Amino acid sequence: MAIYLEMPNLDPKLGFKFLINEGDILTTPHWHREYELILLTKGKVNIGINDKQFQLSAGGMAFFKGGDIHYIVATPDSNRFVFQFDMSLFNENVVKKMDLASHLNKLSQVSLFWDEKINRKLRTILQQIVNEESNNQYDKEFVIEGLMYRLIACMLRELPKDDEVKVPGINIQSKTILITLNKVFSFVEKNYRTKVTLEDVSKAAGFSPYYFTKFFKKNVGQTFIEFLNNYRIDKAKWEIINTDTPISSILNQGGFTSDKTFYRLFKKQVGLSPKQYKNKYNLVK
């Protein structure tokens, strides 16, 4: 499975980040050190967590632990709330005394296996966090931190542990779709730096170009070319802030056919030029 390291830009004062992802946002296989909880508010999603696949509908939740390889393929009409955090959100003494990370890492990860009563409790708290995010009250961060303490307390007390749930098999049709998408992700990871044709990726997926085009658009919500360009930009973003490689070299090695195309797509996706992005988020001192 193709994977890359994501660097979530958490609020440094809080150790927390909230965002909304609509159906046209494809989360390709990746991992990060931070914890992440998603709440699906509309539509359906297929989720891969390490070597397991799940399907969620509106109201469903998933909890990704630090280091989990995960991806999300959503229907175009879907919408999901994303909550990311790390241990800096909580009091350092509490984290150490409770061994908080260790306890979180034992929890079951998908709401398919959670009691509906606890599901409702968690959804209520998450919605309260969303409401706080939408206002500019002076105590906003204080309230969000308090709600996150409540959320984690509910999870620790009431969610089942990994070894307490039996994961059912995914239906054959959905499993076939996810296996095919994994082939596509892996192909792109190996070849994104070179010229990738529709014929090449269709062959890797085991389809004709005509059928593959329809299959990919239906299950991913964007064309393959859109996905490929976004993937290349994601890779470029990582290299820009995590290495001292010149931007010109990253561009030339990133699979784009022209400088103009790279800069246009980068600015469209990120809202900044590559140089502005590096100056703002550079992690290489």
Side-chain angles (χ1 to χ4, degrees):
M1 181 184 290
I3 60 172
Y4 67 95
L5 171 64
E6 183 184 85
M7 307 289 286
N9 184 31
L10 303 183
D11 181 342
K13 296 180 294 183
L14 191 61
F16 174 82
K17 181 179 181 180
F18 167 73
L19 60 153
I20 299 175
N21 283 347
E22 297 181 345
D24 59 347
I25 302 296
L26 175 70
T27 304
T28 54
H30 69 287
W31 67 278
H32 40 72
R33 299 180 183 89
E34 295 75 11
Y35 293 90
E36 179 175 315
L37 185 67
I38 69 165
L39 168 61
L40 186 64
T41 60
K42 182 182 179 185
K44 295 181 179 180
V45 295
N46 286 327
I47 295 178
I49 306 177
N50 298 321
D51 60 346
K52 299 182 178 66
Q53 293 83 36
F54 308 97
Q55 292 177 301
L56 296 179
S57 55
M61 289 168 282
F63 175 51
F64 307 127
K65 305 164 186 175
D68 280 338
I69 299 170
H70 57 282
Y71 64 87
I72 300 172
V73 179
T75 56
D77 65 338
S78 67
N79 189 79
R80 61 187 184 270
F81 294 153
V82 182
F83 309 81
Q84 297 175 328
F85 64 95
D86 62 18
M87 290 297 104
S88 67
L89 174 65
F90 309 103
N91 179 277
E92 184 177 356
N93 291 330
V94 172
V95 171
K96 290 182 178 179
K97 184 176 181 180
M98 289 183 58
D99 193 11
L100 183 57
S102 176
H103 287 292
L104 284 176
N105 289 338
K106 296 177 183 178
L107 298 181
S108 170
Q109 294 177 268
V110 184
S111 61
L112 295 171
F113 314 118
W114 307 347
D115 183 84
E116 181 54 29
K117 183 178 179 180
I118 181 60
N119 284 348
R120 288 196 299 270
K121 285 184 180 180
L122 296 181
R123 285 196 295 265
T124 297
I125 298 173
L126 292 174
Q127 186 59 59
Q128 290 174 329
I129 294 174
V130 174
N131 295 342
E132 285 297 323
E133 280 285 342
S134 64
N135 70 49
N136 293 311
Q137 296 293 326
Y138 74 95
D139 60 351
K140 168 181 165 180
E141 293 177 356
F142 180 77
V143 175
I144 288 176
E145 183 175 357
L147 288 169
M148 284 299 297
Y149 270 94
R150 281 185 57 201
L151 179 78
I152 297 305
C154 284
M155 291 172 65
L156 292 176
R157 287 184 174 185
E158 303 194 49
L159 290 190
K161 307 298 188 295
D162 271 335
D163 58 4
E164 296 174 349
V165 300
K166 183 177 181 181
V167 179
I170 192 168
N171 69 62
I172 294 177
Q173 181 181 3
S174 296
K175 185 174 183 179
T176 300
I177 290 172
L178 292 170
I179 289 173
T180 302
L181 289 175
N182 276 339
K183 290 180 181 178
V184 175
F185 294 152
S186 296
F187 179 86
V188 170
E189 170 66 13
K190 293 176 183 177
N191 298 283
Y192 76 93
R193 294 183 181 275
T194 64
K195 181 179 179 180
V196 175
T197 68
L198 186 60
E199 288 73 18
D200 291 335
V201 69
S202 300
K203 183 177 180 181
F207 295 145
S208 69
Y210 173 77
Y211 184 80
F212 174 77
T213 298
K214 296 181 66 176
F215 166 87
F216 198 85
K217 177 69 174 179
K218 177 181 179 181
N219 290 287
V220 176
Q222 57 183 260
T223 69
F224 175 72
I225 297 302
E226 290 171 334
F227 163 77
L228 177 61
N229 285 334
N230 288 335
Y231 191 89
R232 285 169 169 163
I233 293 296
D234 279 339
K235 286 290 189 176
K237 286 162 57 181
W238 192 93
E239 292 189 51
I240 286 171
I241 65 173
N242 288 279
T243 73
D244 56 6
T245 305
I247 293 175
S248 58
S249 297
I250 294 173
L251 185 159
N252 292 330
Q253 298 171 11
F256 289 98
T257 56
S258 72
D259 295 4
K260 185 177 180 180
T261 299
F262 172 79
Y263 282 104
R264 176 177 59 82
L265 292 174
F266 194 98
K267 184 69 178 289
K268 179 180 179 181
Q269 184 188 116
V270 182
L272 301 169
S273 70
K275 185 176 181 179
Q276 290 171 328
Y277 185 75
K278 185 177 185 68
N279 290 338
K280 185 173 182 178
Y281 297 112
N282 184 29
L283 298 176
V284 179
K285 306 300 182 183

